Amino acid sequence: MGRNRSGRWGGRAPRSPGVTVRRAVAGDAGRLTRVVRTSRAYEGPYASMVEGYRVGPDYIEAHRVFVAADDTTDRILGFYALVLDPPELDLMFVADEAQGRGIGRLLAAHLRDEARGAGLTGVRIVSHPPAEGFYRGIGAEPVGTVRADPPAVRWDRPELLLRVG
């Protein structure tokens, strides 16, 4: 996920040489948890959201979780989780060191294809507030606001719809 010179999320269709998007397996759980817990996007006031968060093997088995992995090292550069019923993007993270390489757009394109293949016409996204610009940049449209629900979530979050049909 990168910003162009004007500071907007932008770019064409993703092409990330040396990166493959594949289905996550139970053995990826620890690495996915690490990507979540070390995300700089969740520092400061947002830190409580990922504190103690865990992506477990059971979660990976129950949902459509996909990782963007380096072809040479299998290092996880990012991942997303798609819930089909109701259709929602549950998680999407790009490792801090992989930011700006098109990994977010690569995952978003894969998400669209996966959702379309499952017969969905749209996917709900409840966005982390700093990520709203990215989601709008990939074509998600604002549809509302999900109100804070302390103590779990202490801030309002943008709700968007990513059309895929």
Side-chain angles (χ1 to χ4, degrees):
M1 303 188 289
R3 292 179 191 259
N4 61 25
R5 288 183 190 162
S6 66
R8 300 175 75 171
W9 296 98
R12 305 247 335 121
R15 302 226 189 262
S16 292
V19 177
T20 300
V21 178
R22 63 166 173 79
R23 188 81 184 245
V25 296
D28 292 327
R31 295 189 294 165
L32 299 184
T33 296
R34 202 166 20 265
V35 169
V36 171
R37 288 189 186 174
T38 61
S39 174
R40 285 192 308 261
Y42 283 87
E43 291 178 334
Y46 301 114
S48 64
M49 190 71 180
V50 297
E51 199 172 275
Y53 195 90
R54 179 178 167 270
V55 180
D58 52 336
Y59 181 87
I60 292 170
E61 306 259 340
H63 301 292
R64 292 183 183 212
V65 181
F66 292 88
V67 300
D70 182 281
D71 287 342
T72 305
T73 64
D74 197 41
R75 183 172 58 115
I76 292 178
L77 305 172
F79 75 98
Y80 77 87
L82 173 64
V83 175
L84 295 181
D85 190 20
E88 183 169 358
L89 175 63
D90 191 39
L91 298 169
M92 181 181 272
F93 281 84
V94 174
D96 290 340
E97 66 275 7
Q99 298 278 329
R101 293 182 44 195
I103 304 301
R105 287 190 170 277
L106 179 69
L107 290 169
H110 190 275
L111 165 67
R112 269 198 167 97
D113 290 345
E114 188 69 20
R116 194 176 302 114
L120 304 177
T121 58
V123 175
R124 176 183 188 234
I125 300 170
V126 177
S127 176
H128 178 48
E132 181 180 10
F134 168 75
Y135 291 119
R136 284 183 176 218
I138 61 166
E141 304 161 1
V143 294
T145 301
V146 175
R147 297 289 170 211
D149 185 19
V153 180
R154 298 181 182 132
W155 57 89
D156 294 345
R157 293 169 292 156
E159 181 179 11
L160 303 107
L161 177 65
L162 180 63
R163 297 185 193 283
V164 297

